[in-house]
Amino acid sequence: MTTAPAPTARRAAPAARHSARKVRPRGERSPLASAGLHLTLIVASVIAVFPVLWVLLTSLKPAAYATTTDFFKDTTFENYTGLIKDTEFLTWFGNSLVIAGLTTVLGVFVSATTGYAVSRFRFPGKRGLMWTLLITQMFPVAVLIVPIYNIMASLGLLNQPAGLVITYLTIAVPFCAWMMKGFFDTIPREIDESGQVDGLTPFGTFWRLILPLAKPGLAVTAFYSFITAWGEVAYASAFMVGDENLTLAGGLQKFVNQYGAQWGPMTAASVLIAIPAALVFLFAQRHLVTGMSAGAVKG
């Protein structure tokens, strides 16, 4: 006569089999999921790098092979030397550098002071100012270019660097001021109160105590302001005429005519134009993620 196994033994058997299996730690991906993730990242990286690599290699090809896939045939730097010697590229580069530099400095100052004022003080028209900063970001360039052109013409600022700087500030400041307002909201108000106790003025508190804590937000503001002025095409083409006044965006149009495009000089100019933007990005890179996420905490 056989006896039935005890209930505890029956419950222990499945538990023993379950414990014998290899349990994957929580959060660890399976080999198949890991391979799929890495494959996706590789494909995305190739897609992102391919256009840049194509432009770089095209800039090193002679004109006869500009539209072919013979990237390493008769490699030459003639496109770069011809660009500098035969065109006003250095003048365009200098104009863009001045305009982008002024836009960056003024954009950071105006955005930071505006964001701090909206974050810390109560004053008449505060809500209207905040709505204005938000609404002005909704208008596309095609809608604003004609009224801004008329305003600049009436002020005598067409074909002047100051006109472009003011125009770019109207694009960069609303977004950056709103972002800086959100960033300043994350800084404790006790710091302002301690500055007042030490006898600092509101601007002194802002300059000495708050700004050093706002470096990530300032880095994002500087980067956005610089890129806005450095790579903009529509306003630069409409407001500036004459080789001595053109920016890089307007100068590139010199390489396009009704019969085609000079791909060699154009791609060489594109590579040189990308260098300052890359340097600014590398300088501000460690602050970009922190600044953008902090500015999005509060609205």
Side-chain angles (χ1 to χ4, degrees), residues 211-244:
L211 276 189
L213 301 176
K215 287 182 179 180
L218 296 177
V220 176
T221 300
F223 178 73
Y224 182 80
S225 300
F226 182 85
I227 294 301
T228 297
W230 188 256
E232 200 280 326
V233 178
Y235 291 110
S237 302
F239 292 3
M240 309 297 281
V241 295
D243 284 350
E244 69 281 359

Short mmCIF file of all heavy atoms in Angstrom, two decimals, residues 211-244:
data_model
loop_
_atom_site.label_atom_id
_atom_site.label_comp_id
_atom_site.label_asym_id
_atom_site.label_seq_id
_atom_site.Cartn_x
_atom_site.Cartn_y
_atom_site.Cartn_z
N LEU A 211 23.62 83.81 -11.11
CA LEU A 211 24.23 83.43 -12.39
C LEU A 211 25.23 82.28 -12.27
O LEU A 211 25.25 81.39 -13.13
CB LEU A 211 24.89 84.65 -13.04
CG LEU A 211 23.98 85.56 -13.86
CD1 LEU A 211 24.81 86.59 -14.62
CD2 LEU A 211 23.12 84.78 -14.85
N PRO A 212 26.11 82.27 -11.24
CA PRO A 212 27.03 81.13 -11.14
C PRO A 212 26.31 79.78 -11.01
O PRO A 212 26.86 78.75 -11.41
CB PRO A 212 27.84 81.44 -9.87
CG PRO A 212 27.81 82.93 -9.77
CD PRO A 212 26.45 83.31 -10.25
N LEU A 213 25.09 79.78 -10.46
CA LEU A 213 24.33 78.55 -10.33
C LEU A 213 23.55 78.21 -11.60
O LEU A 213 23.00 77.11 -11.71
CB LEU A 213 23.34 78.66 -9.15
CG LEU A 213 23.97 78.92 -7.78
CD1 LEU A 213 22.87 79.09 -6.74
CD2 LEU A 213 24.89 77.77 -7.38
N ALA A 214 23.51 79.16 -12.52
CA ALA A 214 22.69 78.99 -13.73
C ALA A 214 23.54 78.67 -14.96
O ALA A 214 23.08 78.87 -16.09
CB ALA A 214 21.86 80.25 -13.97
N LYS A 215 24.75 78.17 -14.77
CA LYS A 215 25.63 77.91 -15.91
C LYS A 215 25.03 76.94 -16.93
O LYS A 215 25.16 77.17 -18.13
CB LYS A 215 26.98 77.39 -15.41
CG LYS A 215 27.85 78.46 -14.77
CD LYS A 215 29.19 77.89 -14.34
CE LYS A 215 30.06 78.98 -13.71
NZ LYS A 215 31.38 78.44 -13.28
N PRO A 216 24.37 75.86 -16.51
CA PRO A 216 23.77 74.98 -17.53
C PRO A 216 22.74 75.69 -18.40
O PRO A 216 22.73 75.54 -19.62
CB PRO A 216 23.12 73.87 -16.69
CG PRO A 216 23.91 73.84 -15.43
CD PRO A 216 24.27 75.27 -15.16
N GLY A 217 21.88 76.49 -17.78
CA GLY A 217 20.89 77.23 -18.55
C GLY A 217 21.53 78.26 -19.46
O GLY A 217 21.10 78.47 -20.60
N LEU A 218 22.56 78.93 -18.99
CA LEU A 218 23.27 79.91 -19.81
C LEU A 218 23.95 79.25 -20.99
O LEU A 218 24.01 79.82 -22.09
CB LEU A 218 24.30 80.66 -18.96
CG LEU A 218 23.75 81.52 -17.82
CD1 LEU A 218 24.89 82.13 -17.01
CD2 LEU A 218 22.83 82.61 -18.34
N ALA A 219 24.47 78.03 -20.78
CA ALA A 219 25.12 77.31 -21.87
C ALA A 219 24.12 76.97 -22.97
O ALA A 219 24.41 77.11 -24.16
CB ALA A 219 25.78 76.04 -21.34
N VAL A 220 22.93 76.52 -22.59
CA VAL A 220 21.91 76.22 -23.58
C VAL A 220 21.48 77.48 -24.31
O VAL A 220 21.31 77.49 -25.54
CB VAL A 220 20.69 75.55 -22.90
CG1 VAL A 220 19.58 75.31 -23.91
CG2 VAL A 220 21.11 74.24 -22.26
N THR A 221 21.33 78.57 -23.58
CA THR A 221 20.94 79.84 -24.20
C THR A 221 22.00 80.31 -25.19
O THR A 221 21.68 80.75 -26.30
CB THR A 221 20.73 80.91 -23.12
OG1 THR A 221 19.69 80.48 -22.23
CG2 THR A 221 20.35 82.25 -23.72
N ALA A 222 23.26 80.23 -24.80
CA ALA A 222 24.34 80.65 -25.70
C ALA A 222 24.38 79.78 -26.94
O ALA A 222 24.54 80.28 -28.07
CB ALA A 222 25.67 80.60 -24.96
N PHE A 223 24.23 78.49 -26.77
CA PHE A 223 24.27 77.57 -27.91
C PHE A 223 23.11 77.84 -28.86
O PHE A 223 23.30 77.92 -30.08
CB PHE A 223 24.23 76.13 -27.40
CG PHE A 223 24.22 75.10 -28.50
CD1 PHE A 223 25.36 74.83 -29.23
CD2 PHE A 223 23.06 74.40 -28.80
CE1 PHE A 223 25.36 73.88 -30.24
CE2 PHE A 223 23.05 73.45 -29.81
CZ PHE A 223 24.20 73.20 -30.54
N TYR A 224 21.92 77.99 -28.33
CA TYR A 224 20.75 78.23 -29.18
C TYR A 224 20.86 79.57 -29.90
O TYR A 224 20.54 79.68 -31.09
CB TYR A 224 19.48 78.18 -28.34
CG TYR A 224 18.21 78.35 -29.14
CD1 TYR A 224 17.66 77.28 -29.84
CD2 TYR A 224 17.56 79.58 -29.20
CE1 TYR A 224 16.51 77.43 -30.57
CE2 TYR A 224 16.40 79.74 -29.94
CZ TYR A 224 15.88 78.66 -30.63
OH TYR A 224 14.74 78.82 -31.36
N SER A 225 21.31 80.60 -29.21
CA SER A 225 21.45 81.92 -29.83
C SER A 225 22.49 81.89 -30.94
O SER A 225 22.30 82.48 -32.02
CB SER A 225 21.84 82.97 -28.77
OG SER A 225 20.85 83.06 -27.76
N PHE A 226 23.61 81.21 -30.70
CA PHE A 226 24.66 81.13 -31.71
C PHE A 226 24.18 80.38 -32.94
O PHE A 226 24.39 80.83 -34.08
CB PHE A 226 25.89 80.45 -31.12
CG PHE A 226 27.05 80.37 -32.08
CD1 PHE A 226 27.94 81.42 -32.21
CD2 PHE A 226 27.25 79.23 -32.87
CE1 PHE A 226 29.00 81.35 -33.10
CE2 PHE A 226 28.30 79.15 -33.75
CZ PHE A 226 29.18 80.21 -33.87
N ILE A 227 23.55 79.24 -32.74
CA ILE A 227 23.09 78.44 -33.88
C ILE A 227 22.01 79.19 -34.66
O ILE A 227 21.95 79.10 -35.90
CB ILE A 227 22.56 77.08 -33.39
CG1 ILE A 227 23.71 76.25 -32.81
CG2 ILE A 227 21.89 76.32 -34.52
CD1 ILE A 227 24.83 75.97 -33.79
N THR A 228 21.15 79.92 -33.95
CA THR A 228 20.11 80.70 -34.64
C THR A 228 20.73 81.69 -35.61
O THR A 228 20.26 81.85 -36.75
CB THR A 228 19.25 81.44 -33.61
OG1 THR A 228 18.58 80.48 -32.78
CG2 THR A 228 18.21 82.32 -34.29
N ALA A 229 21.77 82.38 -35.18
CA ALA A 229 22.40 83.39 -36.04
C ALA A 229 23.36 82.78 -37.05
O ALA A 229 23.50 83.30 -38.16
CB ALA A 229 23.14 84.41 -35.17
N TRP A 230 24.01 81.70 -36.69
CA TRP A 230 25.06 81.14 -37.55
C TRP A 230 24.48 80.43 -38.77
O TRP A 230 25.04 80.53 -39.87
CB TRP A 230 25.92 80.17 -36.75
CG TRP A 230 27.13 79.67 -37.48
CD1 TRP A 230 27.31 78.44 -38.04
CD2 TRP A 230 28.33 80.38 -37.73
NE1 TRP A 230 28.55 78.35 -38.61
CE2 TRP A 230 29.21 79.54 -38.43
CE3 TRP A 230 28.77 81.67 -37.40
CZ2 TRP A 230 30.48 79.92 -38.83
CZ3 TRP A 230 30.05 82.07 -37.79
CH2 TRP A 230 30.88 81.19 -38.50
N GLY A 231 23.39 79.72 -38.62
CA GLY A 231 22.88 78.91 -39.72
C GLY A 231 21.63 79.44 -40.39
O GLY A 231 21.07 78.76 -41.25
N GLU A 232 21.18 80.65 -40.03
CA GLU A 232 19.94 81.18 -40.60
C GLU A 232 20.16 81.65 -42.03
O GLU A 232 21.20 82.22 -42.36
CB GLU A 232 19.44 82.34 -39.73
CG GLU A 232 17.98 82.66 -39.91
CD GLU A 232 17.74 83.50 -41.14
OE1 GLU A 232 18.62 84.33 -41.47
OE2 GLU A 232 16.69 83.32 -41.78
N VAL A 233 19.18 81.41 -42.90
CA VAL A 233 19.33 81.71 -44.33
C VAL A 233 18.35 82.78 -44.81
O VAL A 233 18.74 83.71 -45.51
CB VAL A 233 19.15 80.43 -45.17
CG1 VAL A 233 19.24 80.74 -46.65
CG2 VAL A 233 20.18 79.38 -44.79
N ALA A 234 17.07 82.65 -44.43
CA ALA A 234 16.03 83.49 -45.03
C ALA A 234 16.26 84.97 -44.77
O ALA A 234 16.28 85.79 -45.70
CB ALA A 234 14.66 83.06 -44.50
N TYR A 235 16.44 85.36 -43.50
CA TYR A 235 16.64 86.77 -43.17
C TYR A 235 17.96 87.28 -43.74
O TYR A 235 18.03 88.41 -44.24
CB TYR A 235 16.61 86.98 -41.66
CG TYR A 235 15.26 86.77 -41.03
CD1 TYR A 235 15.02 85.67 -40.21
CD2 TYR A 235 14.22 87.66 -41.26
CE1 TYR A 235 13.79 85.47 -39.63
CE2 TYR A 235 12.98 87.47 -40.68
CZ TYR A 235 12.77 86.38 -39.87
OH TYR A 235 11.53 86.17 -39.29
N ALA A 236 19.00 86.47 -43.64
CA ALA A 236 20.32 86.90 -44.15
C ALA A 236 20.28 87.15 -45.64
O ALA A 236 20.91 88.10 -46.14
CB ALA A 236 21.37 85.84 -43.81
N SER A 237 19.55 86.35 -46.38
CA SER A 237 19.46 86.53 -47.83
C SER A 237 18.62 87.74 -48.21
O SER A 237 18.88 88.40 -49.20
CB SER A 237 18.89 85.27 -48.48
OG SER A 237 19.68 84.14 -48.18
N ALA A 238 17.58 88.02 -47.41
CA ALA A 238 16.67 89.12 -47.73
C ALA A 238 17.21 90.47 -47.28
O ALA A 238 16.95 91.49 -47.94
CB ALA A 238 15.30 88.87 -47.11
N PHE A 239 17.94 90.51 -46.19
CA PHE A 239 18.34 91.78 -45.60
C PHE A 239 19.72 92.26 -46.06
O PHE A 239 20.01 93.44 -45.95
CB PHE A 239 18.35 91.69 -44.07
CG PHE A 239 16.99 91.52 -43.46
CD1 PHE A 239 15.85 91.41 -44.25
CD2 PHE A 239 16.84 91.47 -42.08
CE1 PHE A 239 14.60 91.25 -43.69
CE2 PHE A 239 15.59 91.30 -41.52
CZ PHE A 239 14.47 91.20 -42.32
N MET A 240 20.58 91.35 -46.55
CA MET A 240 21.96 91.71 -46.86
C MET A 240 22.23 91.52 -48.35
O MET A 240 21.89 90.47 -48.91
CB MET A 240 22.93 90.86 -46.04
CG MET A 240 22.64 90.82 -44.55
SD MET A 240 22.77 92.42 -43.73
CE MET A 240 24.56 92.53 -43.56
N VAL A 241 22.84 92.51 -48.97
CA VAL A 241 23.23 92.43 -50.38
C VAL A 241 24.67 92.94 -50.50
O VAL A 241 25.16 93.69 -49.66
CB VAL A 241 22.30 93.26 -51.28
CG1 VAL A 241 20.89 92.69 -51.27
CG2 VAL A 241 22.29 94.72 -50.85
N GLY A 242 25.34 92.51 -51.60
CA GLY A 242 26.74 92.89 -51.78
C GLY A 242 27.67 91.90 -51.14
O GLY A 242 27.46 91.49 -49.99
N ASP A 243 28.72 91.51 -51.87
CA ASP A 243 29.64 90.49 -51.36
C ASP A 243 30.28 90.89 -50.04
O ASP A 243 30.56 90.03 -49.19
CB ASP A 243 30.74 90.23 -52.39
CG ASP A 243 30.24 89.39 -53.55
OD1 ASP A 243 29.10 88.87 -53.45
OD2 ASP A 243 30.96 89.26 -54.56
N GLU A 244 30.52 92.18 -49.83
CA GLU A 244 31.20 92.61 -48.61
C GLU A 244 30.28 92.58 -47.40
O GLU A 244 30.75 92.69 -46.26
CB GLU A 244 31.77 94.02 -48.79
CG GLU A 244 30.74 95.14 -48.88
CD GLU A 244 30.10 95.25 -50.27
OE1 GLU A 244 30.49 94.45 -51.14
OE2 GLU A 244 29.26 96.14 -50.46
#
